[in-house]
PDB file of all heavy atoms in Angstrom:
ATOM      1  N   GLU A 144       1.053  -5.189  72.835  1.00 98.00           N
ATOM      2  CA  GLU A 144       2.456  -5.639  72.671  1.00 98.00           C
ATOM      3  C   GLU A 144       3.391  -4.429  72.753  1.00 98.00           C
ATOM      4  O   GLU A 144       4.549  -4.577  73.198  1.00 98.00           O
ATOM      5  CB  GLU A 144       2.614  -6.337  71.337  1.00 98.00           C
ATOM      6  CG  GLU A 144       1.888  -7.649  71.184  1.00 98.00           C
ATOM      7  CD  GLU A 144       2.487  -8.793  72.005  1.00 98.00           C
ATOM      8  OE1 GLU A 144       3.662  -8.661  72.420  1.00 98.00           O
ATOM      9  OE2 GLU A 144       1.768  -9.767  72.209  1.00 98.00           O
ATOM     10  N   ASN A 145       2.942  -3.262  72.357  1.00 98.00           N
ATOM     11  CA  ASN A 145       3.765  -2.070  72.393  1.00 98.00           C
ATOM     12  C   ASN A 145       4.148  -1.696  73.829  1.00 98.00           C
ATOM     13  O   ASN A 145       5.200  -1.061  74.054  1.00 98.00           O
ATOM     14  CB  ASN A 145       3.079  -0.891  71.745  1.00 98.00           C
ATOM     15  CG  ASN A 145       4.000   0.287  71.460  1.00 98.00           C
ATOM     16  OD1 ASN A 145       5.050   0.108  70.793  1.00 98.00           O
ATOM     17  ND2 ASN A 145       3.632   1.459  71.924  1.00 98.00           N
ATOM     18  N   CYS A 146       3.355  -2.149  74.802  1.00 98.00           N
ATOM     19  CA  CYS A 146       3.674  -1.906  76.192  1.00 98.00           C
ATOM     20  C   CYS A 146       4.968  -2.577  76.623  1.00 98.00           C
ATOM     21  O   CYS A 146       5.621  -2.198  77.578  1.00 98.00           O
ATOM     22  CB  CYS A 146       2.538  -2.375  77.088  1.00 98.00           C
ATOM     23  SG  CYS A 146       1.003  -1.417  76.970  1.00 98.00           S
ATOM     24  N   LEU A 147       5.359  -3.634  75.902  1.00 98.00           N
ATOM     25  CA  LEU A 147       6.588  -4.336  76.190  1.00 98.00           C
ATOM     26  C   LEU A 147       7.839  -3.454  75.927  1.00 98.00           C
ATOM     27  O   LEU A 147       8.938  -3.758  76.371  1.00 98.00           O
ATOM     28  CB  LEU A 147       6.718  -5.634  75.404  1.00 98.00           C
ATOM     29  CG  LEU A 147       5.638  -6.698  75.703  1.00 98.00           C
ATOM     30  CD1 LEU A 147       5.760  -7.812  74.722  1.00 98.00           C
ATOM     31  CD2 LEU A 147       5.776  -7.158  77.174  1.00 98.00           C
ATOM     32  N   ASN A 148       7.644  -2.386  75.185  1.00 97.00           N
ATOM     33  CA  ASN A 148       8.714  -1.431  74.872  1.00 97.00           C
ATOM     34  C   ASN A 148       8.873  -0.317  75.918  1.00 97.00           C
ATOM     35  O   ASN A 148       9.783   0.492  75.801  1.00 97.00           O
ATOM     36  CB  ASN A 148       8.531  -0.804  73.506  1.00 97.00           C
ATOM     37  CG  ASN A 148       8.495  -1.834  72.366  1.00 97.00           C
ATOM     38  OD1 ASN A 148       9.283  -2.774  72.415  1.00 97.00           O
ATOM     39  ND2 ASN A 148       7.674  -1.653  71.403  1.00 97.00           N
ATOM     40  N   LEU A 149       7.988  -0.299  76.920  1.00 98.00           N
ATOM     41  CA  LEU A 149       8.085   0.718  77.964  1.00 98.00           C
ATOM     42  C   LEU A 149       9.262   0.400  78.870  1.00 98.00           C
ATOM     43  O   LEU A 149       9.728  -0.720  78.931  1.00 98.00           O
ATOM     44  CB  LEU A 149       6.779   0.759  78.745  1.00 98.00           C
ATOM     45  CG  LEU A 149       5.532   1.178  77.998  1.00 98.00           C
ATOM     46  CD1 LEU A 149       4.280   1.019  78.906  1.00 98.00           C
ATOM     47  CD2 LEU A 149       5.618   2.644  77.557  1.00 98.00           C
ATOM     48  N   PRO A 150       9.763   1.425  79.589  1.00 97.00           N
ATOM     49  CA  PRO A 150      10.898   1.193  80.514  1.00 97.00           C
ATOM     50  C   PRO A 150      10.580   0.110  81.530  1.00 97.00           C
ATOM     51  O   PRO A 150       9.446  -0.078  81.962  1.00 97.00           O
ATOM     52  CB  PRO A 150      11.076   2.554  81.176  1.00 97.00           C
ATOM     53  CG  PRO A 150      10.542   3.533  80.194  1.00 97.00           C
ATOM     54  CD  PRO A 150       9.346   2.836  79.546  1.00 97.00           C
ATOM     55  N   VAL A 151      11.604  -0.589  81.953  1.00 96.00           N
ATOM     56  CA  VAL A 151      11.468  -1.611  82.989  1.00 96.00           C
ATOM     57  C   VAL A 151      10.865  -0.972  84.226  1.00 96.00           C
ATOM     58  O   VAL A 151      11.238   0.145  84.638  1.00 96.00           O
ATOM     59  CB  VAL A 151      12.850  -2.226  83.319  1.00 96.00           C
ATOM     60  CG1 VAL A 151      12.702  -3.194  84.506  1.00 96.00           C
ATOM     61  CG2 VAL A 151      13.416  -2.977  82.116  1.00 96.00           C
ATOM     62  N   GLY A 152       9.916  -1.635  84.828  1.00 95.00           N
ATOM     63  CA  GLY A 152       9.260  -1.112  86.051  1.00 95.00           C
ATOM     64  C   GLY A 152       7.963  -0.339  85.756  1.00 95.00           C
ATOM     65  O   GLY A 152       7.290   0.074  86.657  1.00 95.00           O
ATOM     66  N   SER A 153       7.618  -0.231  84.468  1.00 98.00           N
ATOM     67  CA  SER A 153       6.381   0.507  84.088  1.00 98.00           C
ATOM     68  C   SER A 153       5.152  -0.285  84.511  1.00 98.00           C
ATOM     69  O   SER A 153       5.157  -1.501  84.536  1.00 98.00           O
ATOM     70  CB  SER A 153       6.375   0.740  82.596  1.00 98.00           C
ATOM     71  OG  SER A 153       7.406   1.630  82.162  1.00 98.00           O
ATOM     72  N   ARG A 154       4.100   0.440  84.837  1.00 98.00           N
ATOM     73  CA  ARG A 154       2.791  -0.144  85.114  1.00 98.00           C
ATOM     74  C   ARG A 154       1.750   0.636  84.343  1.00 98.00           C
ATOM     75  O   ARG A 154       1.134   1.571  84.837  1.00 98.00           O
ATOM     76  CB  ARG A 154       2.478  -0.127  86.609  1.00 98.00           C
ATOM     77  CG  ARG A 154       3.411  -0.929  87.455  1.00 98.00           C
ATOM     78  CD  ARG A 154       2.906  -1.121  88.859  1.00 98.00           C
ATOM     79  NE  ARG A 154       2.105  -2.345  88.987  1.00 98.00           N
ATOM     80  CZ  ARG A 154       1.439  -2.720  90.058  1.00 98.00           C
ATOM     81  NH1 ARG A 154       1.466  -1.957  91.121  1.00 98.00           N
ATOM     82  NH2 ARG A 154       0.799  -3.864  90.075  1.00 98.00           N
ATOM     83  N   PRO A 155       1.524   0.266  83.068  1.00 98.00           N
ATOM     84  CA  PRO A 155       0.610   1.014  82.231  1.00 98.00           C
ATOM     85  C   PRO A 155      -0.850   0.693  82.474  1.00 98.00           C
ATOM     86  O   PRO A 155      -1.208  -0.411  82.928  1.00 98.00           O
ATOM     87  CB  PRO A 155       1.007   0.608  80.805  1.00 98.00           C
ATOM     88  CG  PRO A 155       1.601  -0.724  80.974  1.00 98.00           C
ATOM     89  CD  PRO A 155       2.243  -0.784  82.343  1.00 98.00           C
ATOM     90  N   LEU A 156      -1.703   1.661  82.209  1.00 98.00           N
ATOM     91  CA  LEU A 156      -3.165   1.485  82.277  1.00 98.00           C
ATOM     92  C   LEU A 156      -3.719   1.871  80.915  1.00 98.00           C
ATOM     93  O   LEU A 156      -3.472   2.995  80.440  1.00 98.00           O
ATOM     94  CB  LEU A 156      -3.753   2.287  83.413  1.00 98.00           C
ATOM     95  CG  LEU A 156      -5.257   2.171  83.648  1.00 98.00           C
ATOM     96  CD1 LEU A 156      -5.603   2.323  85.114  1.00 98.00           C
ATOM     97  CD2 LEU A 156      -6.090   3.164  82.808  1.00 98.00           C
ATOM     98  N   LEU A 157      -4.419   0.978  80.236  1.00 98.00           N
ATOM     99  CA  LEU A 157      -4.972   1.220  78.898  1.00 98.00           C
ATOM    100  C   LEU A 157      -6.488   1.402  79.028  1.00 98.00           C
ATOM    101  O   LEU A 157      -7.150   0.645  79.716  1.00 98.00           O
ATOM    102  CB  LEU A 157      -4.687   0.013  77.997  1.00 98.00           C
ATOM    103  CG  LEU A 157      -3.336  -0.026  77.278  1.00 98.00           C
ATOM    104  CD1 LEU A 157      -2.142   0.159  78.246  1.00 98.00           C
ATOM    105  CD2 LEU A 157      -3.218  -1.291  76.478  1.00 98.00           C
ATOM    106  N   ILE A 158      -6.965   2.408  78.373  1.00 98.00           N
ATOM    107  CA  ILE A 158      -8.413   2.717  78.407  1.00 98.00           C
ATOM    108  C   ILE A 158      -8.990   2.534  77.006  1.00 98.00           C
ATOM    109  O   ILE A 158      -8.522   3.130  76.030  1.00 98.00           O
ATOM    110  CB  ILE A 158      -8.703   4.143  78.913  1.00 98.00           C
ATOM    111  CG1 ILE A 158      -8.085   4.297  80.317  1.00 98.00           C
ATOM    112  CG2 ILE A 158     -10.191   4.416  78.941  1.00 98.00           C
ATOM    113  CD1 ILE A 158      -8.123   5.698  80.821  1.00 98.00           C
ATOM    114  N   SER A 159     -10.004   1.649  76.899  1.00 98.00           N
ATOM    115  CA  SER A 159     -10.535   1.314  75.618  1.00 98.00           C
ATOM    116  C   SER A 159     -12.052   1.106  75.699  1.00 98.00           C
ATOM    117  O   SER A 159     -12.702   1.764  76.504  1.00 98.00           O
ATOM    118  CB  SER A 159      -9.833   0.069  75.009  1.00 98.00           C
ATOM    119  OG  SER A 159     -10.209  -0.215  73.699  1.00 98.00           O
ATOM    120  N   HIS A 160     -12.591   0.205  74.943  1.00 97.00           N
ATOM    121  CA  HIS A 160     -14.028   0.050  74.741  1.00 97.00           C
ATOM    122  C   HIS A 160     -14.479  -1.414  74.899  1.00 97.00           C
ATOM    123  O   HIS A 160     -13.626  -2.330  74.863  1.00 97.00           O
ATOM    124  CB  HIS A 160     -14.373   0.512  73.317  1.00 97.00           C
ATOM    125  CG  HIS A 160     -13.868   1.909  73.003  1.00 97.00           C
ATOM    126  ND1 HIS A 160     -14.670   3.004  73.132  1.00 97.00           N
ATOM    127  CD2 HIS A 160     -12.656   2.330  72.607  1.00 97.00           C
ATOM    128  CE1 HIS A 160     -13.932   4.082  72.772  1.00 97.00           C
ATOM    129  NE2 HIS A 160     -12.711   3.699  72.487  1.00 97.00           N
ATOM    130  N   GLY A 161     -15.749  -1.628  75.043  1.00 95.00           N
ATOM    131  CA  GLY A 161     -16.257  -2.950  75.349  1.00 95.00           C
ATOM    132  C   GLY A 161     -15.908  -4.035  74.419  1.00 95.00           C
ATOM    133  O   GLY A 161     -15.295  -5.085  74.800  1.00 95.00           O
ATOM    134  N   ILE A 162     -16.321  -3.901  73.171  1.00 95.00           N
ATOM    135  CA  ILE A 162     -16.027  -4.974  72.193  1.00 95.00           C
ATOM    136  C   ILE A 162     -14.542  -5.121  71.951  1.00 95.00           C
ATOM    137  O   ILE A 162     -14.020  -6.221  71.879  1.00 95.00           O
ATOM    138  CB  ILE A 162     -16.776  -4.676  70.848  1.00 95.00           C
ATOM    139  CG1 ILE A 162     -18.276  -4.755  71.050  1.00 95.00           C
ATOM    140  CG2 ILE A 162     -16.341  -5.654  69.770  1.00 95.00           C
ATOM    141  CD1 ILE A 162     -19.080  -4.402  69.848  1.00 95.00           C
ATOM    142  N   ALA A 163     -13.831  -4.009  71.855  1.00 97.00           N
ATOM    143  CA  ALA A 163     -12.397  -4.047  71.613  1.00 97.00           C
ATOM    144  C   ALA A 163     -11.636  -4.768  72.726  1.00 97.00           C
ATOM    145  O   ALA A 163     -10.767  -5.621  72.483  1.00 97.00           O
ATOM    146  CB  ALA A 163     -11.808  -2.637  71.452  1.00 97.00           C
ATOM    147  N   LEU A 164     -12.000  -4.483  73.954  1.00 97.00           N
ATOM    148  CA  LEU A 164     -11.338  -5.135  75.107  1.00 97.00           C
ATOM    149  C   LEU A 164     -11.692  -6.608  75.184  1.00 97.00           C
ATOM    150  O   LEU A 164     -10.858  -7.453  75.541  1.00 97.00           O
ATOM    151  CB  LEU A 164     -11.691  -4.429  76.417  1.00 97.00           C
ATOM    152  CG  LEU A 164     -11.031  -3.064  76.596  1.00 97.00           C
ATOM    153  CD1 LEU A 164     -11.627  -2.311  77.775  1.00 97.00           C
ATOM    154  CD2 LEU A 164      -9.471  -3.206  76.816  1.00 97.00           C
TER     155      LEU A 164
END
Side-chain angles (χ1 to χ4, degrees):
E144 295 288 343
N145 194 53
C146 291
L147 297 173
N148 298 322
L149 295 173
V151 175
S153 295
R154 297 193 90 185
L156 183 147
L157 276 51
I158 302 172
S159 186
H160 307 262
I162 294 175
L164 286 169

